[in-house]
């Protein structure tokens, strides 16, 4: 565990032959935790050289799926080993390890079909949502580890998932959500971006809900409601405005 690392480093350094070798070993050992049990069975970390982690995957479909999640994987590594893993490269080839037997027998053909179908669905989504769509679709198609998190799409027995729950409380993510809500660009990626968009969406809907009754009585407030609605449409073009707001603004058009 990270908080026990100082206790084991001296002895581990002797056995591993140096700090760099130990660091590589820890990064490779953490792959299963970083990527998750299911995908860990279809991949194996090979080497860490110059900040680039090379991972062998069983087939092109898995490689494609992991490529969608690359930024999220890098972020998880950064949380565990700051500044160590700067890039992840995936290569397709036969795995040297024997895959673990799943708790519930899995049909390999169905797993392959589910992966391909999830990628097909993701290709149709906007670029910034493809990772979420792929993961959510795969979770639904596999029916494993719980339903998809409503924010990031990761299978989880609890909603939101632990990662999104933590990001929801992050002042940094909340600040970026305010920027998104006001139509400003953000440098967020991966789960952090999905959480910020979720917060921005909830905030815009809440503000429209609070302003609507007043705008219904006072016409001078309707431009403010229209501005909120326009920002909502710009940020979430695939979503529908609340029926009452849409109806009121339609009369003003």
């Amino acid at each position: 565990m990270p908080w026990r690392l100082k206790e084991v480093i001296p002895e581990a350094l002797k056995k591993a032959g140096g700090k760099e070798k130990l660091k590589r070993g820890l990064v490779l050992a953490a792959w299963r935790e970083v990527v998750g049990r299911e995908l860990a069975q279809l991949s194996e970390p090979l080497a860490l050289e110059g900040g680039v982690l090379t991972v062998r995957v069983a087939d092109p479909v898995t490689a494609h799926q992991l490529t969608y999640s690359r930024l999220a994987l890098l972020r998880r590594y950064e949380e565990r080993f700051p500044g160590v893993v700067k890039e992840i490269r995936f290569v397709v080839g036969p795995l040297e390890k024997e895959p673990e037997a799943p708790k519930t027998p899995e049909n390999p053909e169905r797993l392959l079909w589910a992966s391909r179908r999830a990628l097909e669905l993701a290709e149709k989504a906007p670029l910034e949502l493809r990772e979420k769509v792929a993961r959510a679709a795969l979770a639904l198609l596999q029916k494993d580890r719980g339903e998809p998190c409503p924010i990031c799409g990761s299978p989880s027995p609890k909603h939101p998932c632990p990662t999104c729950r933590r990001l929801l409380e992050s002042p940094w993510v909340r600040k970026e959500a305010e920027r998104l809500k006001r139509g400003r660009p953000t440098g967020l990626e991966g789960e952090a971006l999905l959480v910020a968009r979720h917060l921005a969406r909830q905030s815009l809907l809440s503000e429209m809900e609070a302003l609507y009754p007043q705008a219904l009585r006072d016409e001078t407030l309707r431009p403010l409601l229209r501005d909120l609605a326009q920002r909502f449409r710009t940020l979430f073009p695939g979503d529908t405005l609340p029926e009452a707001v849409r109806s009121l603004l339609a009369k003003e058009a």
Side-chain angles (χ1 to χ4, degrees), residues 156-194:
S156 175
K158 295 182 179 180
H159 293 165
C161 71
T163 298
C164 289
R165 192 179 302 118
R166 174 176 55 79
L167 289 170
L168 284 169
E169 300 302 322
S170 167
W172 169 56
V173 173
R174 288 182 171 275
K175 181 179 179 180
E176 292 301 301
E178 285 296 314
R179 290 178 60 84
L180 284 173
K181 192 178 75 172
R182 287 169 171 74
R184 298 173 183 172
T186 176
L188 295 180
E189 298 176 325
E191 280 102 331
L193 176 59
L194 296 174

Side-chain angles (χ1 to χ4, degrees), residues 126 128-129 197 230-240:
E128 68 275 11
L129 297 178
R197 285 175 58 84
Q230 183 57 47
R231 279 190 271 160
F232 184 87
R233 288 192 180 110
T234 300
L235 196 54
F236 307 102
D239 289 9
T240 303

Side-chain angles (χ1 to χ4, degrees), residues 211-223:
L211 184 59
Y212 168 75
Q214 302 175 54
L216 191 60
R217 296 188 297 269
D218 186 350
E219 293 185 3
T220 62
L221 295 176
R222 294 180 188 178

Side-chain angles (χ1 to χ4, degrees), residues 74-220:
L74 285 169
R75 187 172 297 105
R76 291 168 193 161
Y77 263 121
E78 183 65 20
E79 292 174 353
R80 292 165 173 79
F81 310 100
V84 175
V85 181
K86 300 176 182 178
E87 185 56 270
I88 302 178
R89 184 169 65 94
F90 301 105
V91 295
V92 178
L95 304 184
E96 295 182 0
K97 64 180 181 180
E98 289 292 328
E100 301 176 13
K103 295 180 180 179
T104 302
E106 180 68 62
N107 183 332
E109 293 184 1
R110 176 170 177 76
L111 179 59
L112 185 60
W113 169 83
S115 299
R116 287 175 175 165
R117 181 59 180 150
L119 291 173
E120 288 174 3
L121 294 171
E123 291 286 356
K124 300 176 183 179
L127 183 61
E128 68 275 11
L129 297 178
R130 286 182 181 176
E131 179 185 336
K132 178 180 179 180
V133 171
R135 290 160 59 184
L138 186 61
L140 286 173
L141 292 167
Q142 287 185 282
K143 301 288 186 183
D144 193 19
R145 290 203 305 160
E147 294 297 316
C149 168
I151 298 177
C152 72
S154 297
S156 175
K158 295 182 179 180
H159 293 165
C161 71
T163 298
C164 289
R165 192 179 302 118
R166 174 176 55 79
L167 289 170
L168 284 169
E169 300 302 322
S170 167
W172 169 56
V173 173
R174 288 182 171 275
K175 181 179 179 180
E176 292 301 301
E178 285 296 314
R179 290 178 60 84
L180 284 173
K181 192 178 75 172
R182 287 169 171 74
R184 298 173 183 172
T186 176
L188 295 180
E189 298 176 325
E191 280 102 331
L193 176 59
L194 296 174
V195 170
R197 285 175 58 84
H198 171 79
L199 288 171
R201 184 180 186 278
Q202 294 300 103
S203 181
L204 285 169
L205 287 173
S206 178
E207 289 185 25
M208 283 189 285
E209 181 181 355
L211 184 59
Y212 168 75
Q214 302 175 54
L216 191 60
R217 296 188 297 269
D218 186 350
E219 293 185 3
T220 62

